[in-house]
Amino acid sequence: MIPFRNLMFGRDWTAETRVLVAAMAVPPAGARVAQIDTLIKSLKAADVWRLLDALYLLAGHDSQAARLNWKSPGAFTLSPSNAPTFLADRGYTGDGATSGLNGPNLATFGGQYALNNAHMGVWCGTDATEIVGDVGATLNVIRAHNGAATCYLRANSGAVQPTISPATAVGHTLWSRDNSDSIEAYKNGVSLGTQALVSTSISSAAFGVCYAGTGFSTKRIQAAHVGAALTAAQIAALYAALAIYMAALGA
Amino acid sequence: MAQLEFFALTAAQAASAQALDDDSNAAISPRAVDNESPGVGLNLSDSAAGYERGDPVPLTGMLVAARRIADDPAYRQHCPGLVAFLLTLPWASLETGTIFAPPEA
């Protein structure tokens, strides 16, 4: 067996990978470190990495590792509240009533997320039609499957419900805002179209995972992220990188 | 709506529970029972102080926390005192749609 120290320092891992893995209380296997490094390198190559405030890969090998903010381990770590269920390599699931993970206040996040320059994304591993948020806060929400064929998005604003096809929460749902009048919504890297939606304010509330505001979700959440606005090309690259990572886990 | 098992706590007990948790690794945040007519639960605990199994558990004005907290390995590891405290409380199987007001649309 190759010693963990050699896995960490004997290969060409990025500095970000080294910092992240060092923050994991239970060291990941060498293959997982390689998958982490591939994902980070892909996001850096697509110029997504610098625009993130937080990236949570909840489908972690260990619950503590799953709650780390990859962008800045040690800052904005998610904390579990009321015992959400963790399943290794799959993510966290809420009970739909009280449980979830608490993140930082969106209004004072890492400096990228702003009123008219922001994005939020979630990767769901299971589907449920629920009129509750899967991630976010009061004015900053993603309900990945809200109704018959819609998702529900709040982007520092009121709500809009783009049509999703197929109508499922499973996969990557994201909104991005680079102006005050509209947002662009995406499912699995593909645009759902520009949605007229005037910005109002950023919720001064915790970024929730498995819940948003007063609504609690029952979907399994495998990844979540927030940051500055992303271009269509960056969103496609982000989706592709996450899809490769999830596939490697079998998630 | 789902049927879930919840501990029932007074406001003072909720504050005591929160003083025993681990904010970073295993937090508890009891949720208020906020439906107008939540009814009563039936205690299913054999160890609740002051309750026999099957005793009614009043819910109006109470808070609830998921029963599974007491079984979660992270809570047992990081805040065993909280788990021990919760096991002195009554718990019941409750309809979430009966005890909680609907979420904001």
Side-chain angles (χ1 to χ4, degrees), chain A residues 33-81:
Chain A
V33 179
Q35 291 154 2
I36 291 169
D37 195 61
T38 297
L39 176 51
I40 291 175
K41 284 175 176 170
S42 297
L43 299 183
K44 292 177 75 173
D47 197 27
V48 171
W49 184 258
R50 73 177 176 87
L51 299 174
L52 294 169
D53 281 317
L55 171 64
Y56 302 106
L57 269 297
L58 294 128
H61 66 286
D62 167 75
S63 61
Q64 180 269 346
R67 293 185 277 110
L68 291 172
N69 173 12
W70 283 30
K71 179 66 185 296
S72 184
F76 309 134
T77 303
L78 295 174
S79 59
S81 180

Side-chain angles (χ1 to χ4, degrees), chain B residues 9 21 29 38 44-45 51 59 62 67-69 77-78 80 83 90 97-98 100:
Chain B
L9 303 85
D21 73 0
S29 180
L44 297 175
S45 170
Y51 287 85
L59 297 172
M62 300 288 279
R67 167 66 180 81
R68 66 177 306 277
I69 292 173
Q77 175 188 348
H78 293 288
V83 172
T98 303
F100 299 131

Side-chain angles (χ1 to χ4, degrees), chain A residues 131-132 214-215, chain B residues 1 31 34-36 96-105:
Chain A
I131 307 176
V132 293
T214 59
Chain B
M1 284 293 171
R31 181 175 175 184
D34 55 1
N35 235 359
E36 288 185 5
T96 57
T98 303
I99 61 172
F100 299 131
E104 297 164 7

Side-chain angles (χ1 to χ4, degrees), chain A residues 93 124-128 168-170 218-222:
Chain A
T93 305
C124 296
T126 58
D127 185 35
T168 177
V170 174
T218 64
K219 301 178 192 74
R220 189 180 73 230
I221 308 300
Q222 296 182 182

Side-chain angles (χ1 to χ4, degrees), chain B residues 9-92:
Chain B
L9 303 85
T10 65
Q13 288 168 333
S16 296
Q18 288 184 292
L20 293 168
D21 73 0
D22 177 333
D23 287 340
S24 297
N25 296 298
I28 187 170
S29 180
R31 181 175 175 184
V33 173
D34 55 1
N35 235 359
E36 288 185 5
S37 302
V40 296
L42 291 178
N43 174 45
L44 297 175
S45 170
D46 292 320
S47 59
Y51 287 85
E52 297 293 330
R53 189 178 179 90
D55 279 356
V57 180
L59 297 172
T60 300
M62 300 288 279
L63 298 93
V64 294
R67 167 66 180 81
R68 66 177 306 277
I69 292 173
D71 299 324
D72 189 297
Y75 287 73
R76 296 172 76 91
Q77 175 188 348
H78 293 288
C79 39
L82 170 63
V83 172
F85 174 71
L86 291 174
L87 292 175
T88 68
L89 302 175
W91 59 271

